[in-house]
């Protein structure tokens, strides 16, 4: 508890500190603060100056009300002004009455018609940065500024500096956010355009290569098979790209029907067996006798699961093992892809589902891929109202789990009825 008889100046300073909590409008708060500075130091006026955008001069953020409009249009130079000197040196300055005004910026006096007799300028410093200056001019009664005045101004300067610092942080944050939104938009546009533009020529390459394969002599089979294999791989990359793009634009639609998850797992695993055999990896399923049905789009679920199995194969050493299991849990079907491969560092685990995210840099890593597979899996699973996550230990292996609601289509329809 504060005593009842605290001096008025201290009460004013405390009130100003309390007001900081609600200082939503920086300019208004700094104006009030400068008026309090003038009042508590018995000055004719007080101002707050901050650097302009280029940092080449100072401009008035707060100033005595009568001169405010005039002063706001003025640039105070960094050299040849008390404010500029204090800003540069971060050392307070007191100009006593009667001392030379040669080193002051007299244009302010000319514009306002106020003659500066004496003045005190304090730097606004916070977190090692000088953010502006607070100045008071012409102590009333012709007296000089006292050490108490300096203390009062220092307290107010800290408040002003803190708010200016917060404001600069907020501006930096806003700028970073809008830059990242712009980058995101550019990334999305790039995905949309490239996947669209690549699709047609690639379709032609694949079509003609397949046609030629039928016509040429067997000695050309190898070359044509290489073309077809590479083009098919490009096609799957483009399909991944357009899946992300469609999902992003809300254009992804579900062809909903009953999908047998057992069958989906078996088919997906069968599709990857040749690749597993090539790399000396055991790839097997673990499915109980119960049927596992969900409402959904088999093609999209196949894409989601396929990307997980493809990754498990990519990031497991020869001799390793991958198990794809599925089971009913209340309200859901749970699908897991477990490998004993290289694992994922815990710092990366939260990011791997982001688009284009790869644990190893694209330039140094030994595996192919664009960092899109998991974002496609996530998009496809979420389209079904499900969730996907990863658990992993570096050097031991990873487990990816997909949880799919049993009757997503029904839930979604019910939601459409009840949402206005
Ligand atoms: P990419 O197609 O480039 O592999 P993904 O989005 O599929 O991209 O995966 C993102 C990153 O997550 C991969 O680059 C890899 O570092 C890591 N990752 C995914 N699955 C596994 C896994 N089973 N084991 C280890 N790392 C994995």
């Amino acid at each position: 508890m504060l005593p009842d008889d605290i001096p008025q100046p201290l009460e004013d300073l405390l009130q100003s500190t309390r007001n900081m909590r609600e200082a939503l409008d920086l300019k208004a708060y700094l104006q009030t603060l400068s008026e309090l500075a003038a009042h508590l130091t018995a000055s004719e006026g007080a101002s707050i100056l901050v650097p302009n955008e280029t940092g080449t001069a100072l401009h008035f953020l707060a100033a005595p009300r009568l001169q405010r409009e005039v002063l706001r249009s003025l640039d105070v130079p960094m050299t040849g002004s008390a404010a500029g000197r204090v800003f540069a040196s971060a050392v307070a300055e007191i100009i006593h009455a009667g001392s030379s005004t040669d080193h002051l910026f007299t244009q302010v006096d000319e514009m306002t018609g106020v003659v500066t007799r004496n003045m005190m300028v304090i730097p606004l410093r916070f977190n090692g940065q000088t953010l502006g200056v607070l100045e008071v001019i012409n102590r009333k009664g012709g007296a000089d500024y006292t050490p108490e005045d300096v203390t009062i101004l220092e307290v107010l300067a800290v408040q002003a500096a803190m708010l200016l610092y917060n404001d600069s942080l907020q501006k930096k944050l806003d700028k970073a956010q809008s830059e990242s939104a712009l980058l995101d938009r550019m990334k999305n546009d790039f995905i949309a355009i490239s996947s669209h533009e690549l699709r047609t020529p690639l379709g032609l390459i694949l079509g003609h290569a397949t046609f030629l394969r039928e016509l040429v002599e067997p000695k050309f089979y190898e070359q044509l098979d290489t073309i077809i294999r590479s083009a098919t791989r490009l096609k799957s990359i483009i399909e991944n790209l357009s899946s992300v793009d469609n999902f992003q634009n809300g254009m992804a639609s579900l062809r909903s029907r009953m999908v047998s998850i057992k069958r989906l797992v078996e088919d997906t695993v069968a599709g990857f067996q040749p690749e597993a055999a090539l790399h000396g990896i055991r790839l097997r399923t673990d499915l109980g006798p119960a049927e596992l049905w969900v409402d959904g789009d088999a093609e999209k679920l196949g894409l989601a699961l396929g990307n997980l199995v493809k990754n498990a194969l990519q990031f497991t050493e020869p001799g390793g093992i991958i198990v794809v299991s599925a089971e009913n849990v209340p309200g859901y079907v749970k699908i897991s892809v477990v490998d004993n491969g290289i694992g994922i560092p815990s710092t990366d685990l939260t990011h791997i589902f982001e688009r284009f995210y790869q644990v190893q840099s694209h330039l140094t890593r030994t595996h192919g891929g664009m960092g899109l597979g998991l974002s496609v899996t996530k998009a496809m699973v979420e389209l079904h109202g499900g969730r996907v996550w990863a658990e992993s230990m570096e050097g031991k292996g990873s487990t990816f789990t997909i949880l799919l609601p049993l009757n997503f289509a029904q839930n979604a329809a019910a939601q459409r009825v009840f949402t206005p």
Side-chain angles (χ1 to χ4, degrees):
M1 269 292 271
L2 287 167
D4 291 337
D5 57 347
I6 56 167
Q8 189 58 41
L10 183 55
E11 177 60 47
D12 289 341
L13 284 175
L14 286 173
Q15 189 53 41
S16 168
T17 312
R18 285 188 205 109
N19 290 348
M20 282 176 78
R21 285 188 303 229
E22 277 96 43
L24 294 176
D25 181 344
L26 178 73
K27 269 192 186 163
Y29 181 85
L30 292 181
Q31 182 64 32
T32 312
L33 186 137
S34 68
E35 283 163 16
L36 183 63
H39 170 68
L40 292 178
T41 58
S43 301
E44 276 178 21
S47 315
I48 290 175
L49 294 96
V50 294
N52 61 8
E53 273 182 10
T54 50
T56 48
L58 294 166
H59 72 94
F60 287 85
L61 209 58
R65 278 177 198 272
L66 286 178
Q67 294 126 28
R68 212 160 56 180
E69 288 317 308
V70 177
L71 290 176
R72 276 199 179 150
S73 61
L74 191 69
D75 271 347
V76 175
M78 288 291 187
T79 47
S81 74
R85 257 190 323 277
V86 170
F87 182 78
S89 66
V91 178
E93 207 172 282
I94 300 180
I95 289 127
H96 296 289
S99 57
S100 158
T101 55
D102 287 355
H103 53 311
L104 299 185
F105 183 57
T106 47
Q107 203 179 327
V108 176
D109 287 12
E110 286 157 25
M111 286 177 77
T112 57
V114 175
V115 179
T116 304
R117 293 191 309 278
N118 57 4
M119 156 183 218
M120 176 161 59
V121 191
I122 299 263
L124 302 178
R125 280 183 65 75
F126 191 75
N127 208 15
Q129 281 180 40
T130 306
L131 299 130
V133 298
L134 169 61
E135 57 181 37
V136 283
I137 65 157
N138 295 349
R139 200 176 203 289
K140 286 176 190 158
D144 265 337
Y145 286 106
T146 63
E148 287 81 49
D149 293 332
V150 177
T151 307
I152 287 171
L153 224 55
E154 275 172 354
V155 173
L156 292 172
V158 173
Q159 297 180 2
M162 270 176 75
L163 287 176
L164 282 169
Y165 184 74
N166 270 353
D167 186 60
S168 76
L169 283 188
Q170 187 60 47
K171 282 191 180 124
K172 276 187 199 149
L173 191 69
D174 291 348
K175 189 165 170 258
Q177 273 171 350
S178 69
E179 275 170 8
S180 111
L182 178 69
L183 280 178
D184 220 40
R185 229 183 15 253
M186 284 166 69
K187 204 156 80 173
N188 290 344
D189 288 352
F190 172 74
I191 294 175
I193 294 168
S194 53
S195 62
H196 184 259
E197 292 301 315
L198 292 175
R199 194 185 289 270
T200 316
L202 190 63
L204 289 172
I205 293 174
L206 252 178
H208 285 281
T210 316
F211 177 64
L212 280 177
R213 174 74 165 68
E214 303 297 314
L215 299 180
V216 295
E217 295 169 37
K219 64 177 180 182
F220 296 117
Y221 281 178
E222 202 184 320
Q223 280 94 330
L224 277 166
D225 285 346
T226 307
I227 295 177
I228 294 171
R229 243 196 338 274
S230 303
T232 311
R233 170 145 171 65
L234 266 180
K235 188 166 159 262
S236 99
I237 293 174
I238 291 169
E239 268 161 11
N240 266 342
L241 278 171
S242 22
S243 309
V244 183
D245 182 45
N246 286 342
F247 184 73
Q248 287 271 303
N249 296 321
M251 278 165 46
S253 57
L254 278 187
R255 269 192 289 136
S256 177
R257 49 186 68 145
M258 291 314 279
V259 179
S260 160
I261 293 299
K262 250 174 130 172
R263 175 108 187 264
L264 188 90
V265 170
E266 273 161 357
D267 288 352
T268 309
V269 167
F272 282 101
Q273 282 305 359
E275 198 179 327
L278 196 71
H279 293 104
I281 296 169
R282 267 191 300 150
L283 170 62
R284 64 174 182 85
T285 58
D286 179 8
L287 301 162
E291 264 306 334
L292 307 164
W293 296 99
V294 295
D295 267 346
D297 188 320
E299 199 183 316
K300 291 194 166 61
L301 290 174
L303 194 61
L305 182 60
N307 283 341
L308 295 188
V309 179
K310 191 169 77 189
N311 278 346
L313 279 167
Q314 259 194 349
F315 298 105
T316 300
E317 306 291 346
I321 177 160
I322 300 165
V323 180
V324 186
S325 62
E327 60 178 325
N328 266 316
V329 293
Y332 295 89
V333 166
K334 187 171 127 186
I335 311 171
S336 306
V337 180
V338 185
D339 68 57
N340 63 353
I342 62 168
I344 302 163
S346 54
T347 43
D348 294 289
L349 212 50
T350 45
H351 298 291
I352 52 172
F353 290 95
E354 291 165 17
R355 278 174 305 144
F356 301 114
Y357 192 88
Q358 295 181 320
V359 173
Q360 273 183 306
S361 142
H362 201 83
L363 297 176
T364 54
R365 72 191 221 140
T366 40
H367 310 279
M370 291 175 70
L372 274 176
L374 289 180
S375 66
V376 171
T377 295
K378 183 167 182 278
M380 296 303 116
V381 170
E382 287 179 354
L383 212 54
H384 286 79
R387 282 198 309 128
V388 55
W389 67 92
E391 291 148 294
S392 186
M393 261 178 82
E394 244 185 305
K396 298 252 180 263
S398 312
T399 298
F400 284 79
T401 309
I402 295 177
L403 208 55
L404 293 170
L406 290 179
N407 37 22
F408 170 64
Q410 240 174 52
N411 292 351
Q415 235 165 39
R416 275 197 299 277
V417 172
F418 290 109
T419 330

